Amino acid sequence: MNSLFHTALGADFDRLHPRLRERFGFTSTDGRGCVGNGVMDRVWRGRAYTRPFLALGALRNIMFPEQGRDVPFTIENYAYTDTYGRETLTFVRTFELHHRRRRFDATMVWDPYREVIVDYLGTHQHIAADLHLRVDDEGGLHLRSGQMRLRAPGVDTALPTAATAVAEVHERYDDTADVFRIDVRVTNPWFGPVFGYTGAFTLGHVDTGTTPVPASVKPYREQARY
């Protein structure tokens, strides 16, 4: 079984830097997870009018309004099978900001009908965004979010432009410093920059064959829809 990223990239997966192939190439059958620890040089948000929206998102671990420099950072990537039998990959990012811990949670599944990764944001998978991937000439990975939908009981609708955000992620491996480098930028088509962070981390592995995938990285509620 191929990983979500291998499935999405196809032959281009082999063009990734070997450390990125290691990071994004495992599945729920491999018995391991990846946990990264590092420092974000900068965590930022957009203008003052973005603050209320980010504060609202923070209630469901979807971005947050705090800013900072040299912010301790953890990212937890675990592959598991969700309650609907789908291969799922967690992206749980924790930031230690001004004596406040903030999280930015996501779980990803593969939509076999549209052949795209669906990125469910937050603790209740209320927001779903398509992810589009490409590999650059240096073996780095670029992710860009596409259509966003609101998912709630009895609700499944595309979000209006004013309520959407485009996330652009660039992750690469720095052989000189022996670290992963990441840059994330979230923008709104009307209001401009909303949220982002940039920094570096190192990676460790967790044996999920002996230690189950932590419940803390899984959403409180799962959506059956793609």
Side-chain angles (χ1 to χ4, degrees):
M1 179 172 62
N2 287 337
S3 70
L4 294 181
F5 282 72
H6 197 164
T7 300
L9 286 168
D12 278 348
F13 184 82
D14 293 331
R15 297 177 51 232
L16 286 171
H17 187 285
R19 293 302 309 275
L20 289 177
R21 292 202 301 270
E22 173 190 5
R23 172 158 155 66
F24 295 118
F26 67 97
T27 73
S28 59
T29 63
D30 292 324
R32 66 180 178 90
C34 294
V35 178
N37 291 280
V39 174
M40 294 299 103
D41 300 323
R42 182 185 174 214
V43 177
W44 57 269
R45 62 168 168 79
R47 294 184 178 181
Y49 52 70
T50 66
R51 188 181 180 94
F53 301 102
L54 292 171
L56 182 64
L59 298 176
R60 289 289 186 266
N61 290 354
I62 306 174
M63 300 184 289
F64 47 83
E66 288 80 13
Q67 305 181 88
R69 292 187 178 274
D70 300 325
V71 177
F73 169 83
T74 301
I75 183 166
E76 298 173 272
N77 299 116
Y78 289 93
Y80 66 95
T81 303
D82 72 6
T83 55
Y84 299 102
R86 300 174 300 193
E87 180 75 6
T88 304
L89 182 65
T90 70
F91 267 73
V92 173
R93 292 142 286 196
T94 303
F95 303 79
E96 302 289 346
L97 281 145
H98 306 306
H99 309 293
R100 179 188 290 271
R101 178 174 294 149
R102 289 294 199 188
R103 279 182 37 163
F104 185 5
D105 295 2
T107 43
M108 301 178 183
V109 300
W110 177 252
D111 181 345
Y113 305 104
R114 294 184 299 123
E115 297 188 332
V116 67
I117 290 177
V118 177
D119 189 18
Y120 281 113
L121 304 179
T123 55
H124 290 68
Q125 296 191 340
H126 279 137
I127 305 296
D130 295 344
L131 287 186
H132 306 287
L133 283 58
R134 69 176 178 87
V135 180
D136 63 31
D137 292 339
E138 287 73 44
L141 179 66
H142 294 258
L143 293 81
R144 182 181 175 87
S145 64
Q147 182 187 50
M148 298 185 71
R149 298 178 300 281
L150 175 64
R151 294 280 174 75
V155 177
D156 183 3
T157 185
L159 288 171
T161 301
T164 64
V166 177
E168 296 181 272
V169 180
H170 178 207
E171 186 169 324
R172 63 185 179 87
Y173 194 76
D174 183 336
D175 288 292
T176 301
D178 200 23
V179 296
F180 293 86
R181 297 200 181 275
I182 189 166
D183 182 72
V184 175
R185 182 178 179 85
V186 181
T187 59
N188 176 274
W190 287 4
F191 303 111
V194 175
F195 173 84
Y197 54 91
T198 184
F201 60 93
T202 57
L203 197 66
H205 297 288
V206 178
D207 182 359
T208 57
T210 57
T211 303
V213 175
S216 61
V217 303
K218 297 181 179 181
Y220 297 153
R221 183 179 66 202
E222 294 174 344
Q223 295 283 350
R225 294 161 290 187
Y226 287 109

